[in-house]
Amino acid sequence: MYKLMKICISTVAMFFIATVFNSCGKDGGSEEVGFGEFNTHISLVGKPISIGDSIPAVIGSVAAIEGGYLFYTYVSDYLLLISDDEFNNFRQIIKKGNGPNELSQVSGTFGQELDDKSLLSVFDPNAIALYGFNPETPDSVSLYYEFPDNFRKYIPREVIKIKDGCYVAPREDRVYGMISFDSKTGTIEEWPVGYDFKDSQNPKEDIISKRLVAYCPENGMVAETYGCFPRIILHNEQGRVIKVLTYDNYKERVDSQGMLAECFMDMQMTSNHIWILYGDPHMDNQSRIFIVDYEGNGVAELGISPAHQFAIDRKKRRVIAVNPNEEETGIMVYRIPDSIEI
């Protein structure tokens, strides 16, 4: 397997951690809630999953879909792998390229069900277009929506479709915040940032270079955070900042080369909880998953092997975690204890 190199990032000044929260939103104020105390601490024992030697690929991320899993792959002629929910029958899908039934790249959230429930989403950040594919038909990828210029100028690398048909995306034009795009009217709305970034005119690269977004359609909440940023900003589907959840025990760390350690690596949302992957896998011998409810109460802290990204399988009560820098344990599956509500 190939090894992925960590992207070097500049050090964030300490004043960043001490900046003052700005309680603003479209419909009024919002509150900042700290978390860090958990009554339940469990170290999970995982099982490594092998994709076999016949498929040369490095697994970069994973998504749980109905009846199985999707994996984004590096170092492969195909962009995705698909398996059933017992990790059998791995198949390569969506060939990398510029021809028919091919995409140049896939990024951000993928595997989201589109209006036609048989179609799952993939976003091509080079084309800035959303595609749909049927997982039962490997060569079925087709254009779902091509975004206009007023959306393209924000250079999004990720798009999520929410219940009202609008698309939300983190801004990638070196500006903090998110946008919402209404495909019916063709209009853009810039959401409140939800935090008083003192460097908003010249954002620091190691903050804005890593953007995380999650969506829970059941309760109409969108969560966002940034690299090296120990806070989760919660929006409703109209963009209003509802709450900011702050990890109270965050301590800035640097590695032997003076690079700032990552903070939140990934996050997922279920009906009751926000699941946050914490710990820099380049520096720590264990990653942790913080489980926090929507009021900011710490529910549980789970220990797992170092991971870059993860997914929650609600039906199978599993955490599937991936680490592209590990050959034998690049995919790990963990059973979620029955005592933890999903």
Side-chain angles (χ1 to χ4, degrees):
M1 286 288 186
Y2 294 82
K3 299 290 185 180
L4 298 182
M5 297 183 66
K6 183 180 181 181
I7 298 176
C8 293
I9 56 178
S10 59
T11 303
V12 176
M14 260 323 274
F15 78 84
F16 161 66
I17 302 302
T19 47
V20 178
F21 170 68
N22 176 18
S23 60
C24 63
K26 290 194 295 186
D27 303 316
S30 56
E31 62 176 320
E32 184 172 15
V33 178
F35 71 92
E37 299 298 323
F38 301 94
N39 293 327
T40 300
H41 299 262
I42 304 173
S43 291
L44 302 182
V45 177
K47 174 185 176 182
I49 301 298
S50 173
I51 63 175
D53 296 332
S54 62
I55 301 177
V58 174
I59 303 300
S61 58
V62 57
I65 61 174
E66 183 67 31
Y69 307 103
L70 286 174
F71 300 90
Y72 172 73
T73 61
Y74 301 99
V75 197
S76 173
D77 292 334
Y78 289 81
L79 293 165
L80 297 178
L81 285 178
I82 189 170
S83 78
D84 62 22
D85 58 12
E86 294 304 325
F87 303 100
N88 297 316
N89 305 317
F90 279 95
R91 294 181 288 119
Q92 295 176 300
I93 58 174
I94 307 185
K95 191 172 178 62
K96 187 174 184 179
N98 297 298
N101 299 311
E102 297 177 345
L103 296 183
S104 65
Q105 190 53 269
V106 167
S107 70
T109 299
F110 55 87
Q112 182 184 18
E113 285 188 350
L114 297 172
D115 296 333
D116 180 347
K117 299 299 184 182
S118 67
L119 292 180
L120 302 181
S121 70
V122 284
F123 181 70
D124 186 336
N126 297 326
I128 308 187
L130 189 67
Y131 292 80
F133 73 97
N134 185 323
E136 300 301 320
T137 310
D139 295 328
S140 66
V141 64
S142 59
L143 180 66
Y144 183 81
Y145 190 83
E146 187 171 10
F147 292 92
D149 289 343
N150 64 337
F151 182 84
R152 290 170 175 266
K153 71 178 184 179
Y154 295 94
I155 323 175
R157 293 196 299 245
E158 175 168 10
V159 167
I160 295 174
K161 190 173 186 179
I162 60 177
K163 292 197 301 288
D164 64 2
C166 290
Y167 298 91
V168 296
R171 299 183 63 160
E172 301 288 354
D173 56 342
R174 295 193 55 78
V175 175
Y176 294 113
M178 295 184 62
I179 56 170
S180 173
F181 175 75
D182 188 335
S183 60
K184 299 182 183 67
T185 63
T187 56
I188 295 280
E189 186 166 5
E190 296 180 359
W191 283 8
V193 174
Y195 190 84
D196 184 15
F197 289 97
K198 301 302 183 183
D199 62 346
S200 59
Q201 298 303 311
N202 186 28
K204 296 186 181 301
E205 186 63 30
D206 39 6
I207 302 175
I208 63 172
S209 63
K210 186 178 181 66
R211 299 297 312 274
L212 300 174
V213 177
Y215 173 53
C216 182
E218 293 93 335
N219 55 26
M221 299 288 279
V222 178
E224 65 165 324
T225 189
Y226 305 80
C228 314
F229 183 70
R231 292 171 175 84
I232 303 292
I233 301 170
L234 294 178
H235 301 263
N236 65 13
E237 290 172 309
Q238 289 71 49
R240 178 187 172 189
V241 180
I242 302 301
K243 203 180 297 290
V244 174
L245 308 181
T246 299
Y247 179 47
D248 290 333
N249 298 333
Y250 175 75
K251 291 181 176 59
E252 186 181 82
R253 300 178 301 148
V254 295
D255 63 19
S256 60
Q257 298 180 342
M259 299 296 108
L260 191 70
E262 296 285 5
C263 180
F264 298 153
M265 295 297 299
D266 194 19
M267 63 179 171
Q268 303 289 324
M269 302 171 79
T270 57
S271 301
N272 301 298
H273 300 133
I274 304 168
W275 304 60
I276 307 163
L277 181 63
Y278 179 83
D280 191 324
H282 297 279
M283 296 177 62
D284 301 319
N285 57 15
Q286 184 184 61
S287 291
R288 288 178 283 170
I289 297 175
F290 299 147
I291 305 175
V292 182
D293 68 21
Y294 286 87
E295 296 303 314
N297 301 303
V299 175
E301 178 183 340
L302 309 178
I304 64 171
S305 298
H308 283 250
Q309 192 266 346
F310 76 117
I312 304 294
D313 184 337
R314 306 185 202 188
K315 290 186 177 180
K316 290 286 188 176
R317 296 189 61 85
R318 290 172 175 165
V319 169
I320 303 94
V322 299
N323 186 341
N325 288 317
E326 296 294 334
E327 293 185 8
E328 301 300 325
T329 57
I331 306 172
M332 295 288 292
V333 59
Y334 304 87
R335 168 76 180 174
I336 299 172
D338 293 336
S339 59
I340 296 176
E341 185 179 19
I342 300 180

